[in-house]
Amino acid sequence: MYNKGMLPEGTFNNKVVLITGGGTGLGKSIGEYLVKLGAKIIITSRRQNVIDETAEEFNKISKNSTIAIAGDVRNHEDVKNVIETGFKHFKSIDCLINNAAGNFISPTERLTPGAFDAIIDIVLKGSTYYTLLLGKKWIKNKIPGTILNITTTYAFTGSGYVIPSACAKGGLSSMTRSIAAEWAKYKIRCNAIAPGPFPTKGAWDRLVPPGFSKFINMTKRIPLKRMGEHQELSNLAAYLLSDYSSYMTGEIVTLDGGEWTYNAGQFSFLDKIPKAMWSLIEKTIRKKNKK
Ligand code: HXC
Ligand code: NAP
């Protein structure tokens, strides 16, 4: 069931979507679903060969649907060029997905200032540059644009060993709500998704190094006992970008199989108590109620 597309055919007819980091992983999966729903797509990332390959795949699904423009989200000139070239090609851009990210696990005391900068510059500043430069264009041309930011669940909680990413995603979540509040008057909406674990090569190469699975079972942390399916995320992304969610803005939607609330909950560990023991526990507690 969860591998099926959710929205009606043609939902994105006449819509142009710009996806940063759209050549791989989750950005690619979302892009593919949007193409199937009729969207035109601009994908961008640093590696031209990677985005060219993805664009070719998308164009096989829907002819002339996709263009690939290389650029680094940290570079203003690249950001401007992607927006201007994309706009000229498709005559508009209606939606932006700030999906590009950098991340790796590391004890914080091993980080250099340059390592912190790299992640903040990609995730927080890169997403803000795109939002700013495209937003100005939308406001000037009275385009009711829609923004979707991809954040994480540890943006809510913080997390050791990924401090630059946690700080950057925390900022991105805050940017989501702030832009939503300020630009609603221009009919620009801005929402975010906070995904739990959705296996991708980019994330797993940097967050789950080989051998890790011997010590750590990531699925055990998730109360629904499985990782996310890309189609599940694509369904939510498509909904948040579509007119079906036109009354929703400033929202950060978690999609994580219950992972973060489960692990934050002080008593979730009681799962480990066998069912048979609960009668005895209840009896003992009730005894204490006696005056
Ligand atoms: C410590 C590191 C490091 C590591 C790089 N650096 N890797 N420090 N441990 N493993 C330091 C470098 O020494 C350098 O600092 C700085 O970071 C920048 O690194 P560069 O090699 O110059 O590359 P650059 O292109 O600037 O940055 C790329 C990158 C790389 C972010 C480091 O990982 C990358 O290309 N990532 C793109 C894709 C990605 O990360 N995808 C995963 C997203 S997953 P100095 O001081 O030496 O200059 C995600 C999921 C979250 O976000 C939630 C999951 C459940
Ligand atoms: P991914 O495949 O590595 O995607 C990251 C993309 O960002 C790559 O295509 C990369 O392409 C691009 N990118 C990185 N630095 C860039 C830069 N400076 N300029 C332009 N593009 C850049 O990883 P993913 O798992 O799909 O992650 C996608 C998004 O989901 C990220 O925002 C991530 O934080 C979020 N997320 C993922 C998970 C998960 O479990 N997978 C969980 C929570 C959140 P180039 O290298 O070609 O530039």
Side-chain angles (χ1 to χ4, degrees):
M1 183 60 192
Y2 46 81
N3 271 319
K4 285 199 182 126
M6 179 178 89
L7 292 179
E9 227 172 82
T11 296
F12 280 84
N13 282 353
N14 307 315
K15 297 273 188 201
V16 183
V17 184
L18 192 166
I19 311 176
T20 68
T24 63
L26 300 181
K28 181 179 176 183
S29 296
I30 297 169
E32 184 178 327
Y33 184 45
L34 296 175
V35 165
K36 288 176 181 162
L37 291 170
K40 302 288 184 209
I41 305 280
I42 302 150
I43 47 177
T44 181
S45 85
R46 292 166 299 177
R47 291 168 297 167
Q48 185 78 57
N49 62 319
V50 171
I51 52 175
D52 279 346
E53 254 177 52
T54 298
E56 207 180 310
E57 284 179 40
F58 288 3
N59 284 324
K60 273 186 195 145
I61 298 170
S62 170
K63 210 173 162 197
N64 300 326
S65 64
T66 305
I67 59 168
I69 312 164
D72 191 320
V73 297
R74 294 172 284 193
N75 181 318
H76 304 176
E77 288 309 315
D78 284 2
V79 173
K80 220 184 271 173
N81 177 52
V82 171
I83 293 173
E84 291 307 326
T85 310
F87 211 93
K88 215 179 258 171
H89 184 89
F90 287 122
K91 311 283 180 270
S92 185
I93 297 175
D94 305 284
C95 306
L96 165 66
I97 309 180
N98 284 312
N99 164 80
N103 201 0
F104 48 77
I105 46 169
S106 173
T108 302
E109 63 274 20
R110 292 174 63 95
L111 295 176
T112 59
F116 187 76
D117 284 352
I119 305 306
I120 297 288
D121 287 353
I122 298 169
V123 174
L124 180 56
K125 291 166 77 177
S127 303
T128 306
Y129 296 160
Y130 266 98
T131 302
L132 255 185
L133 296 186
L134 188 54
K136 282 175 199 262
K137 221 172 157 63
W138 282 344
I139 293 165
K140 191 170 163 210
N141 292 289
K142 295 194 167 40
I143 297 171
T146 309
I147 302 163
L148 177 65
N149 295 324
I150 309 295
T151 177
T152 65
T153 51
Y154 57 62
F156 309 135
T157 59
S159 174
Y161 300 95
V162 283
I163 295 249
S165 173
C167 295
K169 295 289 192 180
L172 185 61
S173 301
S174 187
M175 191 264 269
T176 303
R177 295 196 180 101
S178 309
I179 286 289
E182 192 177 335
W183 285 358
K185 62 177 176 281
Y186 301 122
K187 308 270 181 279
I188 293 171
R189 296 189 298 119
C190 182
N191 291 297
I193 299 177
F198 283 77
T200 65
K201 181 171 166 28
W204 260 234
D205 279 356
R206 294 169 177 94
L207 303 170
V208 194
F212 248 48
S213 52
K214 276 193 194 141
F215 309 105
I216 296 159
N217 181 343
M218 285 175 74
T219 312
K220 264 195 175 164
R221 290 174 38 80
I222 306 169
L224 288 177
K225 296 292 174 234
R226 67 174 175 85
M227 307 269 174
E229 293 286 329
H230 285 209
Q231 185 62 50
E232 293 177 302
L233 189 91
S234 301
N235 282 341
L236 179 58
Y239 167 71
L240 291 173
L241 287 170
S242 76
D243 294 341
Y244 289 102
S245 63
S246 53
Y247 198 49
M248 189 189 283
T249 194
E251 201 54 49
I252 300 167
V253 185
T254 298
L255 192 68
D256 73 342
E259 186 193 33
W260 91 261
T261 33
Y262 180 84
N263 291 289
Q266 209 161 18
F267 288 96
S268 298
F269 72 92
L270 292 178
D271 270 357
K272 294 200 173 72
I273 292 187
K275 261 193 186 149
M277 266 186 77
W278 277 108
S279 295
L280 180 65
I281 291 169
E282 185 177 337
K283 217 167 136 191
T284 316
I285 294 172
R286 282 184 182 278
K287 246 193 215 160
K288 309 265 182 202
N289 292 342
K290 290 215 171 100
K291 307 261 155 44

